[in-house]
Amino acid sequence: MASAQQFEEGTTLDRFLMDTMREYPHATGQFVNLCQSMALAGKMISARVNRAGLAGMLGAAGGQNVHGEFVQKLDLYANDVFKASLEHRGHTCMIVSEEEGGPVLVPSRYESGDYVVTLDPLDGSSNIDCNATIGSIFGIFKRKTPTGTPATREDVVRPGDDLVASGYIIFGSGTLLVLATEAGVFGFTLDPTVGEFFLSHPALKIPKGRIYSVNEGYRAQWQPGVVSYIDGLQRADKPWKARYIGSLVADVHRNILKGGVFLYPATPGSPQGKLRLLYEAFPLAFLVEKAGGAATDGRVRILDLHPEDIHDRTPLVIGDADAVARATELMSADPSF
Ligand code: P6P
């Protein structure tokens, strides 16, 4: 893939993708097309998020998703937008979404493509009403089963190391699409005045940092390793800063730019943690590793995990490699976990 320094200011996402594709003589254009679908969905969701208060889109939709979680209206909208943006352009064969009970095959009226997309259409949606930053998370697998046949579980219930790309779209003070491929991590900022994403963060690399991000309200339920890790940060000669937005994409994005660590550990009430493996932890772990960081479940590397089910949960420790290594060392020493 093209090196980031080849791209000057004003490079659009489309130009970045087309220039990069030229380095892959066997590329069919499906991947580029898929990324453009993601960008379209991002633009549509951004416009709606920014007007949610006016468009009657705040609050819950009244329903619950397959996990019994109250679904915010924008969750449903985002899920529909991603499906509509992905299913008719011949690059995707199946979608797994937090908002769908099972995998969604591309309708037979459309050409089925080579890619499987895993999605959290709008993570952090409980923050929507208080105008906090939220985001969409996606992972991209190349299908294993033959093109033209119906995709199966085999194409998506697989280790995170099988990912070929991942990313997130963060809806905050601006809208930023961050894309990770084998070549690195690149950020594109939406200019809403022209409706284009422009390269704004070439070759993102996570620095060593001193920020920890965890919900300390659960401290009484933490395993001993987490307690000793956080105590160590607070008692350090130069104590670490605590930052917790309560929106996974926002907390992880901040740590990618500034370094540090985000933790969502298991608790006795949630022995597998809260976050989803296939469409939250895998995509973010792939991206953070491509940015030079690390991600574990407190014991093993996230991308080495094998899901049993598309909605599996996992504890998550993600951030700069040194911080993740230290947290994992203490957490994995716990006999009780
Ligand atoms: P808690 C938002 O609901 C979310 O799924 C993630 O975005 C976020 O990191 C986490 O849950 C926050 O959970 O238990 O700290 O409120």
Side-chain angles (χ1 to χ4, degrees), residues 4-49:
Q5 51 269 23
Q6 280 182 242
F7 296 99
E8 66 267 6
E9 279 302 302
T11 296
T12 62
L13 173 64
D14 284 352
R15 177 179 158 201
F16 175 87
L17 293 169
M18 295 310 290
D19 285 358
T20 302
M21 189 171 84
R22 289 193 189 94
E23 302 195 8
Y24 295 83
H26 303 297
T28 64
Q30 284 192 39
F31 181 74
V32 166
N33 202 326
L34 202 175
C35 293
Q36 290 167 333
S37 295
M38 285 298 176
L40 173 62
K43 293 176 195 174
M44 294 176 71
I45 296 165
S46 176
R48 189 62 66 95
V49 163

Side-chain angles (χ1 to χ4, degrees), residues 123-124 126 215 218 244 246-248 262 264 274-275 280:
D123 177 74
S126 51
N215 186 335
Y218 301 138
Y244 193 72
S247 184
L248 178 60
F262 170 90
Y264 204 105
K274 172 181 185 182
L275 303 176
E280 290 177 336

